[in-house]
């Protein structure tokens, strides 16, 4: 292995990034913590920790585990020390690794796993453009936003057991459930059958970190930044017709509990620091949030987001959404703070979804529901000749996120990908923990 490690300027995994994940190899099937370096290498943090070669870190049990939970649960100062030590190690003029070690492994040999045990999952609804679009479709433009929307980050509790890992062969099964029999007359009741309006939702999510706040205490805005371990891209799959029938009065249930896909690498706030920017809202003044929700450094990150679809018979994926993480009115710190305002204890490994991220232009709308405007428009899939309103069986949906800025290495998240299988299809566990593939 030559040193320093060769990293292409086009790689999403520059030295600015250094994201964490859990992986295994055929030669060592035990899951362990890895760090992506360029497109070709993964650092084995278990081996590096056991070798004691990380400056100011040394041997650390929390780096030698099979999930990221213990590392996530450390103070933010520990995360920063590990990151700076990794950067120093990778910048060394000569290789710091023993010649016979497994401290560096080939990316081509790794199988990725869910990054941690996810205890709880909450999904928010924090893009003003998305909320306005959906509200306009169902309630008209004069009542698009509910009265509470500009006063708090709206959210609901999801299902952690159906959070799955992205993969080139990953799959989800079109759900079946109750569907409203007559679209204009709910009193006629329902029928049972496969979802006809299967959809994606372009989201990102944060993993909570740091020591758990005791029940009955709040995470304050001053504390919030040190409670965010990292970010992933997320597809919160949706069954729009099932949701329409079931959501009154308590909100979505089966329509949202069947599948959520996340990207495998967890990108830290330190990696994203150079890409801080204003939100699409710019400021929150009409109304001004209540004091506990005021973020003196209100802003976001310039993360360019995209969604591609490749259907059966298509030669290549075609872009259907181009959006940006900055298109959130309520930012991730405000989401976390509001989640805990009632005294909810937030634990390392909890996942908080951003909600669908839509911008002001049609090509930035983060769901098929918006792209086809409730079924009234056709969505063209590039030059493939195919069109969509909602997802078809066989569609492969891939979401990506990248940050680029002159003077800094590129930061990306890897793919968030899965294929939609017909209702009734069977899945089997994939090679990586949390990945499911067609049986």
């Amino acid at each position: 292995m030559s040193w320093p490690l060769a990293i292409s300027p086009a790689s999403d995994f520059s030295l600015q990034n250094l994201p964490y994940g859990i992986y295994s190899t055929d030669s060592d099937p035990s899951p362990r913590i890895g760090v992506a370096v360029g497109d070709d290498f993964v650092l084995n943090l278990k081996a590096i920790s056991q070798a004691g070669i990380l400056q100011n870190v040394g041997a650390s049990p929390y780096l030698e585990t099979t999930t990221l939970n213990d590392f996530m649960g450390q103070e933010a100062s520990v995360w920063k020390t590990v990151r700076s030590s990794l950067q120093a190690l990778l910048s060394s003029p000569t290789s710091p690794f023993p010649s016979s070690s497994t401290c560096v492994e080939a990316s081509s040999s790794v199988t990725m796993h869910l990054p941690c045990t996810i205890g709880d999952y909450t999904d928010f609804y924090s893009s003003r453009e998305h909320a306005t679009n959906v509200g306009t479709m169902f309630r008209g433009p004069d009542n698009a936003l509910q009265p509470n929307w500009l006063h708090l980050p709206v959210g609901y509790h999801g299902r952690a057991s159906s959070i799955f890992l992205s993969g080139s062969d990953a799959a989800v099964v079109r759900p079946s459930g109750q569907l409203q029999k007559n679209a204009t007359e709910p009193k006629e009741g329902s029928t049972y059958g496969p979802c006809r309006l299967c959809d994606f939702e372009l989201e990102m999510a944060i993993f909570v970190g740091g020591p758990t706040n005791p029940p009955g205490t709040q995470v304050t805005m001053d504390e919030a930044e040190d409670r965010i371990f990292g970010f992933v891209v997320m597809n919160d799959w949706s069954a729009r017709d099932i949701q329409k029938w079931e959501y009154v009065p308590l909100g979505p249930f089966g329509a949202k509990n069947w599948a959520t896909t996340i990207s495998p690498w967890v990108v830290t706030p330190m990696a994203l620091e150079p890409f801080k920017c204003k939100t699409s809202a710019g400021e929150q003044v009409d109304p001004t949030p209540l004091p506990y929700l005021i973020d003196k450094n209100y802003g976001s990150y310039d993360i360019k987001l995209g969604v591609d679809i490749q259907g059966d018979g298509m030669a290549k994926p075609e872009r259907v959404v181009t959006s940006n993480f900055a298109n959130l009115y309520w930012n991730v710190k405000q989401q976390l703070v509001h989640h805990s305002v009632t005294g909810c204890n937030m634990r390392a490994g909890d996942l908080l979804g951003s909600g669908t991220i839509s911008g002001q232009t049609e090509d930035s709308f983060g769901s098929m529901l918006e792209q086809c405007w409730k079924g009234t428009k056709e969505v063209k899939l590039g030059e493939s000749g195919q069109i969509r309103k909602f997802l078809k069986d066989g569609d492969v949906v891939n979401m990506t996120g990248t940050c680029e800025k002159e003077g800094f290495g590129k930061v990306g998240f890897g793919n968030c990908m899965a294929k939609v299988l017909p209702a009734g299809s069977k899945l089997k566990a994939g090679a990586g923990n949390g990945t499911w593939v067609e049986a």
Side-chain angles (χ1 to χ4, degrees):
M1 180 185 66
S2 61
W3 190 266
L5 300 177
I7 303 174
S8 166
S11 174
D12 284 352
F13 304 118
S14 67
L15 295 186
Q16 175 63 36
N17 195 347
L18 302 181
Y20 299 104
I22 297 295
Y23 78 99
S24 63
T25 57
D26 288 344
S27 59
D28 182 359
S30 175
R32 50 203 182 272
I33 301 175
V35 175
V37 181
D39 295 331
D40 299 320
F41 307 104
V42 174
L43 297 186
N44 179 349
L45 285 200
K46 179 180 179 180
I48 289 173
S49 173
Q50 290 175 340
I53 56 179
L54 271 185
Q55 297 176 12
N56 304 314
V57 178
S60 302
Y62 54 80
L63 297 179
E64 301 173 19
T65 55
T66 58
T67 71
L68 282 168
N69 292 81
D70 286 354
F71 185 29
M72 287 175 167
Q74 303 299 308
E75 299 280 359
S77 58
V78 173
W79 309 336
K80 294 173 183 176
T81 297
V82 171
R83 174 179 167 82
S84 61
S85 298
L86 285 169
Q87 288 178 317
L89 181 148
L90 290 165
S91 301
S92 172
T94 58
S95 174
F97 305 121
S99 58
S100 61
S101 77
T102 59
C103 290
V104 181
E105 305 196 80
S107 298
S108 59
S109 71
V110 309
T111 296
M112 299 303 296
H113 304 263
L114 277 175
C116 65
T117 300
I118 301 170
D120 287 295
Y121 161 52
T122 300
D123 194 32
F124 285 91
Y125 187 57
S126 291
S127 164
R128 184 170 185 171
E129 289 82 2
H130 173 67
T132 299
N133 288 341
V134 174
T136 298
M137 280 184 250
F138 290 95
R139 294 186 298 274
D142 293 338
N143 298 299
L145 291 182
Q146 298 284 13
N148 64 351
W149 199 93
L150 291 169
H151 295 268
L152 55 81
V154 173
Y156 72 96
H157 295 294
R159 181 77 182 173
S161 66
S162 53
I163 297 173
F164 307 135
L165 192 68
S166 166
S168 58
D169 58 350
V172 298
V173 175
R174 180 182 296 269
S176 295
Q178 287 199 31
L179 311 170
Q180 187 170 316
K181 186 179 295 185
N182 184 329
T184 60
E185 182 47 77
K187 291 183 180 179
E188 292 187 16
S190 62
T191 60
Y192 173 83
C195 163
R196 296 186 290 267
L197 308 182
C198 184
D199 202 354
F200 62 78
E201 289 191 346
L202 171 60
E203 302 195 25
M204 293 194 68
I206 62 167
F207 278 108
V208 175
T212 302
N213 55 300
T217 65
Q218 304 172 2
V219 177
T220 67
M221 192 62 69
D222 288 340
E223 298 166 337
E225 194 164 312
D226 288 343
R227 295 298 310 274
I228 297 171
F229 179 80
F231 295 75
V232 291
V233 178
M234 187 175 93
N235 180 357
D236 194 30
W237 303 88
S238 296
R240 300 297 183 188
D241 41 0
I242 294 174
Q243 183 172 345
K244 178 183 178 181
W245 172 245
E246 74 178 5
Y247 85 102
V248 178
L250 294 181
F253 182 52
K256 302 287 289 184
N257 71 4
W258 54 282
T260 300
T261 302
I262 62 172
S263 54
W265 293 105
V266 184
V267 176
T268 66
M270 292 84 81
L272 296 174
E273 183 71 20
F275 308 101
K276 283 185 172 179
C277 66
K278 292 183 177 181
T279 70
S280 57
E283 55 183 355
Q284 295 174 314
V285 293
D286 186 21
T288 300
L290 293 176
Y292 79 94
L293 278 173
I294 293 176
D295 181 1
K296 291 178 290 187
N297 299 308
Y298 176 65
S300 187
Y301 298 100
D302 180 14
I303 305 173
K304 297 173 179 62
L305 302 171
V307 183
D308 298 330
I309 295 177
Q310 184 170 7
D312 287 340
M314 290 175 58
K316 61 184 180 66
E318 296 289 354
R319 178 60 50 97
V320 291
V321 181
T322 300
S323 190
N324 197 293
F325 186 59
N327 292 325
L328 287 179
Y329 183 83
W330 296 105
N331 68 25
V332 291
K333 290 191 289 182
Q334 291 172 314
Q335 291 171 351
L336 175 58
V337 167
H338 183 65
H339 198 310
S340 74
V341 70
T342 51
C344 177
N345 47 321
M346 307 299 295
R347 301 177 297 181
D350 288 350
L351 188 71
L352 307 186
S354 65
T356 306
I357 304 170
S358 297
Q360 296 181 356
T361 58
E362 289 188 14
D363 67 332
S364 68
F365 292 170
S367 65
M368 293 300 288
L369 175 66
E370 296 165 272
Q371 292 271 330
C372 76
W373 205 255
K374 200 183 173 185
T376 62
K377 299 179 181 180
E378 293 182 336
V379 180
K380 185 179 180 182
L381 300 187
E383 301 303 318
S384 69
Q386 294 199 24
I387 58 173
R388 293 289 185 277
K389 290 186 177 180
F390 291 91
L391 297 174
K392 292 185 176 182
D393 294 339
D395 283 351
V396 176
V397 180
N398 186 34
M399 299 180 175
T400 56
T402 56
C403 305
E404 295 183 81
K405 185 176 182 179
E406 188 174 352
F408 296 92
K410 189 177 178 183
V411 171
F413 296 76
N415 291 325
C416 180
M417 176 188 294
K419 181 179 183 178
V420 179
L421 299 181
S425 298
K426 303 298 183 183
L427 296 177
K428 63 180 181 180
N433 176 37
T435 302
W436 291 85
V437 300
E438 187 171 8

